[in-house]
Amino acid sequence: DEVEDLYHLLKLVKEKEEVEAVSVGAILSDYQRVRVENVCKRLNLQPLAYLWRRSQEDLLTEMISANIQAMIIKVAAFGLDPDKHLRKTLLEMEPYLKELSEKYGVHICGEGGEYETFTLDCPLFKKRIVVDESEVVIHSADAFAPVGYLNLSRLHLEDKVTDNISFLVPSSICPCLSSLGTNPDFEEMEDFCGCISPKVDWRVKDDGHHITRPSLCTKKTIHGYQWISGVTASCTHMEKEVIIQEIKQAFSILQEALESTEFEFKDIVLVNLYVRRMNDFELINSVYQTYFDVNPPARVCVEAPLFDGILFQADCLVHKHEMMNNDNVRHEKQVMHVQSISHWAPANIG
């Protein structure tokens, strides 16, 4: 099993090199990202997926601008010819790959397996790789999408010429900045939100420790969305067991609020979680995750200047999604649970 092979390999690397994180190159592939995240969770490693959901066109331009010299060594897509395109570099192929993407939907970065590359040089390399001998091997002579690869039979290393040229990535490519200046149509979002998103309330009096009941339950929108906000846990005692009990009590209050509006935890689609100290997140999250299955709601967690003694405030957006199937009503919620550190989450939150 490839997942277990990866587990044992990373376990060995962690023990020998004392690594703390694992970088995954997935851009769109849930297959790859989810498996790496699963192994990292078991080994208590932090997965990093900084390429996740990046614009592939921007990403290819960024790699070329960063002086990553990679050549194509395998093709397997309509429009790519082994005899024409093998051995060509990404710089040479960039215009043609963009053209294929516009015409046929080919993934510019080869995320769908359209092509594979071999890196000859990049700023991290101490020496560059030179290919002396290679041959084209045709794996499938399909008339429309032939599959072929390059057999590298002889290579050698060469010293790099240091010309002190620094390769800078244009700031306009930054995924977190690319959305700035856009004007979302808030009128189209009105039904989704139902009302202005609840504000954080840090004016709760500090009387030792207490739980406040939800201060706001908005009316359902025409499409069934509703906010339940103001679930707050307070505790001045720093003992771990006491804090855990207060957190559980807060979720019990939330459960009561959900039941009073005919919802369940599985109907929560978004949680705005405000914590007074981000250092408390791990403890809060250890309780939080026990209330949700493998499809948790989307969550935004930020540190906020809550009143002394307040652990967190939670505001929840709920929606019961009903679907008819053979005259039976069933509930379905589709989520994407990204556990890796990436540009994708902060870009969406921003």
Side-chain angles (χ1 to χ4, degrees):
D1 182 273
E2 61 179 5
V3 175
E4 293 307 307
D5 289 343
L6 180 62
Y7 171 83
H8 291 296
L9 177 60
L10 289 180
K11 185 174 184 291
L12 178 64
V13 173
K14 180 181 179 181
E15 292 171 351
K16 289 186 173 293
E17 303 298 334
E18 299 182 353
V19 298
E20 299 178 358
V22 175
S23 180
V24 55
I27 304 173
L28 283 174
S29 173
D30 280 309
Y31 181 90
Q32 180 185 148
R33 176 184 58 79
V34 169
R35 279 157 178 73
V36 174
E37 288 179 345
N38 173 272
V39 171
C40 286
K41 184 176 182 179
R42 291 162 61 188
L43 292 172
N44 196 28
L45 292 168
Q46 174 62 60
L48 307 173
Y50 289 115
L51 306 186
W52 180 248
R53 293 283 171 168
R54 290 286 308 275
S55 161
Q56 293 193 46
E57 183 173 344
D58 289 347
L59 197 54
L60 181 63
T61 301
E62 183 178 325
M63 287 187 286
I64 294 171
S65 300
N67 198 30
I68 295 177
Q69 299 176 19
M71 71 174 182
I72 292 182
I73 59 170
K74 182 181 178 180
V75 294
F78 185 77
L80 293 176
D81 189 322
D83 294 324
K84 292 181 180 179
H85 302 123
L86 291 178
R87 297 190 181 92
K88 287 194 173 183
T89 66
L90 290 179
L91 177 61
E92 294 171 321
M93 289 292 294
E94 183 182 17
Y96 186 63
L97 289 173
K98 290 181 178 180
E99 181 182 337
L100 288 181
S101 177
E102 293 173 359
K103 286 185 176 180
Y104 310 117
V106 170
H107 292 141
I108 295 177
C109 287
E111 184 72 354
E114 291 89 345
Y115 67 89
E116 306 288 345
T117 60
F118 181 73
T119 302
L120 300 171
D121 194 12
C122 75
L124 292 176
F125 286 8
K126 294 181 178 179
K127 295 188 177 184
R128 68 186 187 94
I129 301 172
V130 178
V131 178
D132 297 315
E133 294 180 4
S134 63
E135 62 174 335
V136 174
V137 179
I138 303 299
H139 178 73
S140 172
D142 185 87
F144 298 98
V147 178
Y149 64 90
L150 205 58
N151 181 26
L152 306 179
S153 54
R154 192 159 67 92
L155 309 92
H156 75 273
L157 298 177
E158 282 188 358
D159 292 331
K160 299 170 67 171
V161 178
T162 56
D163 50 11
N164 295 322
I165 297 178
S166 60
F167 296 90
L168 302 177
V169 178
S171 59
S172 60
I173 293 178
C174 177
C176 294
L177 295 177
S178 61
S179 60
L180 295 180
T182 59
N183 296 310
D185 189 342
F186 289 103
E187 292 183 359
E188 294 181 1
M189 298 171 61
E190 184 176 356
D191 181 68
F192 175 75
C193 296
C195 65
I196 298 175
S197 183
K199 296 181 179 179
V200 186
D201 181 8
W202 49 74
R203 298 172 295 175
V204 182
K205 293 181 179 179
D206 180 11
D207 59 358
H209 60 85
H210 65 278
I211 307 293
T212 62
R213 293 185 178 275
S215 60
L216 174 65
C217 290
T218 64
K219 293 182 179 180
K220 288 184 182 179
T221 66
I222 58 175
H223 292 297
Y225 289 98
Q226 182 173 0
W227 278 104
I228 298 177
S229 67
V231 178
T232 307
S234 301
C235 183
T236 57
H237 302 285
M238 299 307 295
E239 293 83 357
K240 181 178 178 180
E241 293 75 15
V242 176
I243 295 176
I244 290 178
Q245 287 304 314
E246 297 296 335
I247 298 171
K248 289 182 177 180
Q249 181 62 25
F251 279 96
S252 296
I253 297 297
L254 174 59
Q255 185 170 5
E256 291 179 10
L258 289 168
E259 292 175 353
S260 69
T261 50
E262 300 182 345
F263 287 108
E264 302 175 64
F265 274 100
K266 67 179 182 179
D267 298 321
I268 300 176
V269 295
L270 171 65
V271 176
N272 288 334
L273 183 64
Y274 308 97
V275 297
R276 185 172 183 274
R277 298 190 319 142
M278 194 56 74
N279 289 340
D280 296 328
F281 172 77
E282 185 174 354
L283 189 59
I284 295 172
N285 192 54
S286 66
V287 178
Y288 176 98
Q289 63 186 4
T290 63
Y291 288 85
F292 300 99
D293 55 19
V294 294
N295 292 324
R299 179 177 65 187
V300 179
C301 180
V302 295
E303 186 176 282
L306 303 177
F307 197 84
D308 288 345
I310 296 181
L311 293 174
F312 68 84
Q313 174 174 318
D315 301 327
C316 305
L317 183 66
V318 292
H319 178 258
K320 193 179 289 291
H321 183 63
E322 298 183 350
M323 295 186 64
M324 298 298 297
N325 183 22
N326 298 328
D327 297 326
N328 294 319
V329 177
R330 65 185 180 91
H331 306 289
E332 181 179 3
K333 178 178 67 177
Q334 295 182 339
V335 301
M336 180 166 60
H337 189 197
V338 179
Q339 302 175 73
S340 304
I341 294 177
S342 68
H343 284 288
W344 180 77
N348 277 274
I349 294 169

